Amino acid sequence: MGTTITKRAARFSAIGAATTAALLLAGCASGTGGDSGSGDAETFDLTWTSYTTPEGYYSMAMDEWISIVEEETDGRVNIEPFYMGSLCATLDGLACAKDGRADIAYTSPAFHPAEFPLANVVTVPFVAKDPVAQTATQQELYNTNADYAAEFDKQGVHALYFAPVTTSILGAKQEISSYEGLEGLSVRGTARMLKALEIGGANPSAIAVSEIYESIENGVISAWSSTGLESAVTEWNLGEVTKYMIDTQSGSFINVMAVINKDVWDTLPADIQKIMNDASAKVWGGLSGEYLDAIFDATCDKVDQQGVKLSTWSDAEAQKWADAVGDTLVNDWRVEAKSAGASDEQIDAFYADYLQKLEVASADSDYVPPVEYCLNRG
């Protein structure tokens, strides 16, 4: 376990715990630990590596989770977060959690397709239109699908929670109101959205989200994709350089997960494991209703401040892109999963389970995409 060097300062924003609690969605991870009581004075100093900025909603919610755990354990657990890759680089988060350089890490299946061939299904756009439902599906799969859970065990990590990235939007210097508008567009993308954009006739580039602003300013690209509205305007201020943001209805394209070293998790007493599970339920289990409204209201305010013009493609235009992509990206995922060692039977059974659980979760969700929310707010 990592040793805490400095205690982080309390720095929760005015948005407050209720708002940060709403940002993300995850269920309670299951687990049984060593000692079940809290009678001894054993303490656990843990480190958490994150690639997100301190101001981002993921970090704010992470801080709230840490605060709950530290308070509920009466100081038996202390967690030091490291932001913006200051402890481990973005793509090294999983390795750091495995080898002990960090105890907990923010990462994504998209960063490690070979290690998480089944979990990487979340990178296939046009399948899940509701990121909240998709995240609930990931948690349910972790709890009930043996092949899915085995991927985490094989990597020596335990999933603390899964967190959604809201639906991908398209940011541009000019209005793009139709599928045909992608033709020849120089656009930033990531994961499988790169190929989706290429299929649509665009010229995609794999550029880090932190480099979008400068790349737009310098004319390297004229548009960006594969980023949610909240992150775009509140974290990266992209409305300052791209005044048009469009929901193309391509849906979810990635998600985030927090993983803890499996040996560390198994070492924690059962009561501490339960406190962590409860913290996940409290902080990430309320992405609906007034909590979601609070987050989106702050996002809409930023949209107004940056002078962004929002729009949503019609169902007909969105379907043109979906039809052009067809099964290409799903089949790419299947090939990659098989190359990573999954059998055809495992892949077929898993994908059927994924779609069934996604359908149930979608029916239970009241998620409204942020662009639609802001437009309806007026």
Side-chain angles (χ1 to χ4, degrees), residues 7 35 40 116 141 207 214 218 234 236 253 307 310 334 345 378:
K7 187 78 173 94
D35 299 333
D40 59 42
F116 296 100
L141 287 168
I207 295 174
E214 183 177 357
N218 294 338
T234 64
W236 303 108
F253 65 100
L310 300 176
R334 287 177 175 274
E345 293 75 14

Side-chain angles (χ1 to χ4, degrees), residues 6-246:
T6 59
K7 187 78 173 94
R8 79 190 189 286
R11 51 157 205 80
F12 298 114
S13 76
I15 292 179
T19 302
T20 61
L23 172 64
L24 311 169
L25 174 72
C28 296
S30 59
T32 57
D35 299 333
S36 61
S38 58
D40 59 42
E42 186 176 11
T43 60
F44 301 88
D45 293 332
L46 309 178
T47 54
W48 188 325
T49 181
S50 172
Y51 57 87
T52 61
T53 67
E55 299 81 16
Y57 284 124
Y58 287 108
S59 295
M60 293 167 63
M62 177 182 76
D63 287 345
E64 175 67 9
W65 189 93
I66 292 172
S67 180
I68 292 171
V69 169
E70 291 183 342
E71 181 177 349
E72 293 298 319
T73 59
D74 295 323
R76 294 164 61 208
V77 174
N78 295 283
I79 304 173
E80 180 74 7
F82 292 83
Y83 308 98
M84 299 182 67
S86 59
L87 179 60
C88 299
T90 298
L91 298 182
D92 292 337
L94 176 63
C96 284
K98 290 171 63 175
D99 65 25
R101 282 174 286 165
D103 300 299
I104 305 172
Y106 260 151
T107 188
S108 172
F111 303 159
H112 308 287
E115 289 80 5
F116 296 100
L118 298 180
N120 202 37
V121 71
V122 298
T123 63
V124 181
F126 303 99
V127 175
K129 295 299 183 73
D130 182 336
V132 176
Q134 186 187 61
T135 302
T137 299
Q138 296 301 107
Q139 185 65 52
E140 182 66 14
L141 287 168
Y142 186 67
N143 292 340
T144 63
N145 188 290
D147 288 337
Y148 182 84
E151 292 187 344
F152 293 81
D153 290 340
K154 185 177 181 180
Q155 296 306 316
V157 294
H158 171 85
L160 288 173
Y161 61 83
F162 300 87
V165 176
T166 56
T167 44
S168 174
I169 61 171
L170 179 65
K173 292 184 174 182
Q174 71 281 346
E175 177 68 51
I176 300 176
S177 58
S178 67
Y179 169 65
E180 288 74 18
L182 294 177
E183 184 69 34
L185 188 68
S186 177
V187 57
R188 177 265 183 183
T190 190
R192 297 189 200 281
M193 286 300 295
L194 286 165
K195 191 165 187 176
L197 289 163
E198 184 179 5
I199 291 171
N203 299 316
S205 299
I207 295 174
V209 65
S210 59
E211 298 174 5
I212 293 176
Y213 193 110
E214 183 177 357
S215 297
I216 293 284
E217 277 195 316
N218 294 338
V220 177
I221 54 174
S222 59
W224 50 267
S225 179
S226 315
T227 298
L229 182 63
E230 310 92 275
S231 176
V233 298
T234 64
E235 193 169 358
W236 303 108
N237 297 312
L238 296 182
E240 295 177 0
V241 291
T242 49
K243 295 301 182 183
Y244 295 88
M245 297 188 185
I246 307 104

Side-chain angles (χ1 to χ4, degrees), residues 271-282:
D271 69 306
I272 290 180
Q273 289 183 349
K274 182 179 185 304
I275 287 170
M276 290 183 172
N277 290 339
D278 290 346
S280 293
K282 182 175 181 180

Side-chain angles (χ1 to χ4, degrees), residues 21 26 43 84 118 131 133 200 254 313 315 357 376:
T43 60
M84 299 182 67
L118 298 180
I254 197 172
W313 277 4
D315 291 344
K357 286 179 168 57
N376 290 339

